[in-house]
Structure formats: structure tokens, C-alpha cells
Amino acid sequence: MTSDQGSREIDLTVTINGMEVRRRVPARLLLSDFIRDEVGLTGTHVGCEHGYCGACTVIADGDAIRSCSTLAVQVDGSDIRTVEDLASDGELTPMQQAFHENHAMQCGFCTAGFLMTLESVDPDDYREPEQVVELLSGNLCRCTGYQNIVKAVCSVWGVEGRRRDSQ
Amino acid sequence: MKPAAFDYCRPASIDEAAAALASSDSAKVLAGGQSLVPSMNFRISQPSLLVDIRDVEGLDGLEVDQDGVSIGASVTQSRVMNSDEAYSAVPGLRRALRFVGHLQIRNRGTVCGSLAHADPAAELPALAMAAGARLTVRGPQGERTAAADGFYLGPYWTGLEQSEIITGVCFPAEAPGTVTVVDEIARRSGDFAVVGLAAAFDLEDGSVGGARLVSFGVSGRPQRLAAAEEAVRGFHAGAAGDGLYGAAYEDAADAVGDIHASGEYRREALGSLLVRTARAVSASNGGKAGAR
């Protein structure tokens, strides 16, 4: 690293889904493009590219983040998880299975983002349907109308009761 | 939708960071990047140099004592929102932060970054003004402090010089008898406010003794509502709201119209929001009004 001028390319080391990745990347490379184009993990989808739709959500050091609004250099040294890390040996996680059973996806473009947001949190913090809805407000879905997504989440997390509003 | 090329550096000390920032007219501080990177994706912002402050020593402190909550420049919004100690000292912080973006954005976005970015519709600058927060600013000439009230000059425009960095902010502890509320009207959860209000009410026997009222999302910057602060004195839960509504309407004379709402709508909505908020706070008699 240079001191006060900076440089256009940066050496980067991250762990992605348990695998250490070292690359020299342009400073301007977005984390979403790093994951997709450099590492070849295309399960992370890129929708709006300005932090609005949530399709690109990945987990960095335990926290859900927007990979399109994060530079790859910002996660140097971090532990990244993407949707490819969920199922193992072809066996879906309970949440993935519930999405399947409840028809919580249609085109599937947003699904990886939803799954990673859900994977990042402690279900004990979300005991009311309204809390689940608020949690999911950072992920847009243009197919399902959300009802089946909420249903899938509530079934896995044991959240019961009707929503007080009908928004 | 990709950032233009730029140079990047990650200094380890605040002096190096300040020097790097001073080396170019279009250098920018990178903290969480949750406003900066999207604006670079759009190429609205094309800095020549990003000074990433993640490794700068001494900026990651979140300290709560009887004086208040001190938040370093690299402390994320989620960390502050999840701190029960910060909530009990300055309840307005959690009340404002739940409106800031979404979980995924708060996990990287910083409190000080939002204060420096100065989006006219942002919650935190308005709260900082209402709560009497003070910013610590570091530049080539050393350190200074600045009151948040008076710091905001226009859209994305503050009293910060090009070579200065906000290193931290201190929100004073909420005084007994004071209730701080942040509320807003937005089309969807997590959207920028069409109209917002950050308010610190000093309550005396169920009526309002005084208040610091700040609008956001209404004009080009967070703005103290001088007429409404006069009109709200003596307000109580059963009071008619017309005078207070009218005062807020006058305060918002320079409300801007855009694709989301006309200026007239913003003036009316601000008046309604203020009356509704003042009623709820008075009715609670200094209890937990505004807690959500």
C-alpha cells in the first residue's frame, strides 16, 4: 500500500464459503462483481446496483450486507458467505426447503438475497409476523407478493399468529 | 453502474488520513460507503482518491457514560442501534436508526458517515441537531469541535472543509423530563423520508415546556422550526393543534417539491406530523412515547 497517493489495484485476501481467495483487484471493483466474475460464484445476483433491491445480499463476518454497495477492497480479510454455502451435498437447508414447499419464489432472481438475509439473523429476535415482514423489507421480490415468503419463514421459525396490519 | 477508476489508500493513523485527504481536491473519506458507493455506481460522485478509514486507530469506540453516547467514525449504525446502553442514555438514536435504510445497510453504514454525507432527507443529522450533538473534526490544523446545529448548510453540504474528517460525535444524555422522538412519512419502509421530524420535548406536568424541533426531507437541509418551537410551548394532549400546525407550515416555507411530493404537501404533512407527535408525547406525560 502506498501512503498518501493510493493505488488503483489492491492485493486482497478473503475467505469465501470457507475457501481462501487471493487476488489483485482494481480498487473500483464491487464485491458483487468480485464474487461473480473473479470467483465464479454466480448465485449472488445483481439487481439494482445501488443498494435498494437486496438481491446481492451476502454475509460478511456474520452480518448481511449489500455486495453491490461494497467495494471488494472493503472486505479484505473478511469471511464471506454466499448462497452457495447453504445447501450441502445437494441437501437443502430447512429454509430453502420451506421456500420450495411454500412456493416462496417464482423467477428466483431475488431468492439468494432473501436466503442470506434470513441466514444472517437469530430467529429468536423475530417472534411476530410483523417483525419478519420488517426484516424482509430490505429485499424486493417482484413476483410473489411476499405472502408465501413470509409464510415460509414463519413455518421454519415457528412464528405464529396473524399480522395485525394487512399492508 | 460501476464506479469510475480511483486511487485507494488505507492509512493506519488519523494524521496520514488527513494528509491523504488534503492531497487531492476530490479525495473522499470511505467509512461504510453505503451512500458513497451507490453514488459512485451512478457516477454522480467520481472521487480521485478514496481514503478508507477502517484501519485508522481510535475510531471504533462506542462509549456510553453519564454525559452521553460517544460514537467513533468507524462505528456502524447497527452497532449503535443494538446497544441497550446507548438506547437508555440517548433513546432517540435507536428511534432514528430504525428508519435508516435496512438491516443490510445499517450493518456497514456508519453514524458519522451519515452525519458527514448530509443527505437532506437523512434522519441522523436532524436528530443530532435536536439532541444537541457535537462533532469532533480533525484536519491539517488539528482538532476542533462543532455543534451539529449550524453544521448543515445545504444539500450534501456541511461546515466540513475538504481536508477534514469527522472522527466522532457525542450525543448528550437525554435529560430527565425530556422525550426525544423521530418520526417520518415515507412511501415504503426504508425509503428516504418524504417528510420527517426529529424532536426533543421538555415536558412539565404533562405539557410541553420547550422543544427543539428539526425537520428533514422537507427542504435542502435539516432545519430548526423556530416558529413551531415558540408555538409548542404549553401544548398539552387536549390542546387544539391549529396554531402549532400553522407555525410548522410557516417554518417550512422553503419546502421543495419533487417527484415524491409537492412543496405544499410537505408543508401540510410536516404540520400534521408535528401535531400528532406533540399530542402523543404530551399524553404519555414523559413516559415512553415514541418508543416503537
Side-chain angles (χ1 to χ4, degrees):
Chain A
M1 205 198 80
T2 51
S3 58
D4 58 354
Q5 301 254 333
S7 41
R8 298 245 152 158
E9 297 208 325
I10 309 293
D11 291 316
L12 179 68
T13 305
V14 294
T15 303
I16 298 192
N17 301 337
M19 171 182 68
E20 189 179 275
V21 178
R22 289 166 185 270
R23 290 281 194 290
R24 186 164 180 81
V25 300
R28 69 178 190 137
L29 186 68
L30 297 171
L31 176 58
S32 47
D33 292 333
F34 176 74
I35 290 168
R36 289 175 56 84
D37 302 341
E38 293 285 323
V39 188
L41 296 171
T42 53
T44 300
H45 291 169
V46 176
C48 71
E49 284 199 307
H50 64 283
Y52 193 83
C53 76
C56 68
T57 302
V58 300
I59 297 177
D61 299 324
D63 295 325
I65 68 165
R66 305 268 204 238
S67 62
C68 78
S69 304
T70 304
L71 300 168
V73 291
Q74 287 181 276
V75 299
D76 185 17
S78 291
D79 185 45
I80 306 292
R81 292 182 65 205
T82 68
V83 69
E84 286 89 347
D85 200 38
L86 295 181
S88 61
D89 297 329
E91 189 165 333
L92 300 181
T93 64
M95 189 63 78
Q96 288 176 310
Q97 189 66 35
F99 266 58
H100 174 64
E101 287 166 6
N102 289 282
H103 196 62
M105 70 189 90
Q106 191 167 316
C107 81
F109 193 86
C110 67
T111 308
F114 274 94
L115 291 170
M116 297 318 285
T117 296
L118 292 164
E119 177 75 8
S120 74
V121 300
D122 181 353
D124 291 344
D125 294 337
Y126 301 89
R127 302 318 305 158
E128 302 289 334
E130 286 82 2
Q131 292 174 311
V132 172
V133 170
E134 171 138 2
L135 170 66
L136 297 178
S137 66
N139 292 83
L140 295 189
C141 172
R142 300 280 84 145
C143 302
T144 64
Y146 302 99
Q147 302 303 318
N148 289 346
I149 298 175
V150 174
K151 207 156 77 181
V153 176
C154 289
S155 75
V156 177
W157 288 357
V159 176
E160 289 170 7
R162 293 175 62 82
R163 287 174 56 195
R164 286 188 294 273
D165 58 40
S166 58
Q167 168 250 312
Chain B
M1 295 296 284
K2 313 289 178 196
F6 55 86
D7 289 327
Y8 170 91
C9 68
R10 196 192 301 163
S13 75
I14 192 69
D15 286 335
E16 286 174 76
L21 209 52
S23 73
S24 163
D25 283 347
S26 65
K28 288 280 255 180
V29 175
L30 174 66
Q34 296 302 285
S35 297
L36 179 59
V37 175
S39 76
M40 289 169 65
N41 285 354
F42 279 123
R43 304 207 178 184
I44 294 166
S45 178
Q46 296 194 21
S48 59
L49 172 68
L50 285 193
V51 182
D52 188 342
I53 57 170
R54 64 183 282 207
D55 288 346
V56 172
E57 214 175 321
L59 300 185
D60 62 349
L62 172 59
E63 283 157 32
V64 183
D65 58 27
Q66 62 265 47
D67 294 334
V69 178
S70 298
I71 304 166
S74 60
V75 175
T76 63
Q77 292 154 357
S78 282
R79 199 173 143 205
V80 175
M81 191 170 163
N82 294 335
S83 163
D84 291 335
E85 292 77 21
Y87 175 63
S88 68
V90 184
L93 279 168
R94 187 177 286 173
R95 291 172 193 161
L97 284 164
R98 73 177 285 279
F99 290 113
V100 177
H102 298 103
L103 171 79
Q104 300 90 338
I105 291 170
R106 295 190 296 261
N107 280 342
R108 288 204 68 84
T110 62
V111 170
C112 289
S114 178
L115 294 175
H117 185 61
D119 190 303
E123 294 82 4
L124 290 170
L127 173 70
M129 287 173 63
R134 292 192 71 80
L135 306 158
T136 305
V137 174
R138 182 65 179 264
Q141 269 75 53
E143 192 172 279
R144 68 181 174 103
T145 64
D149 197 359
F151 188 68
Y152 292 96
L153 306 176
Y156 312 103
W157 179 26
T158 69
L160 211 56
E161 300 291 334
Q162 160 62 28
S163 54
E164 288 184 318
I165 303 172
I166 296 178
T167 55
V169 61
C170 182
F171 285 81
E174 186 180 78
T178 298
V179 175
T180 310
V181 186
V182 179
D183 203 357
E184 67 184 43
I185 294 167
R187 293 292 297 271
R188 288 165 295 255
S189 163
D191 277 11
F192 277 113
V194 173
V195 169
L197 175 73
F201 294 96
D202 302 323
L203 296 179
E204 295 165 2
D205 300 326
S207 71
V208 177
R212 288 164 306 289
L213 307 174
V214 183
S215 67
F216 55 93
V218 174
S219 62
R221 57 180 174 145
Q223 199 168 309
R224 283 286 289 268
L225 307 176
E229 287 183 7
E230 277 302 314
V232 80
R233 285 176 197 278
F235 191 87
H236 55 88
D242 303 12
L244 185 55
Y245 175 96
Y249 183 88
E250 286 312 313
D251 281 327
D254 59 351
V256 293
D258 59 22
I259 192 173
H260 303 294
S262 65
E264 181 65 16
Y265 174 87
R266 284 193 161 89
R267 296 179 74 181
E268 293 177 4
L270 178 66
S272 299
L273 184 61
L274 175 57
V275 171
R276 184 171 89 193
T277 304
R279 277 222 173 94
V281 168
S282 318
S284 77
N285 201 8
K288 280 288 171 195
R292 309 188 49 135

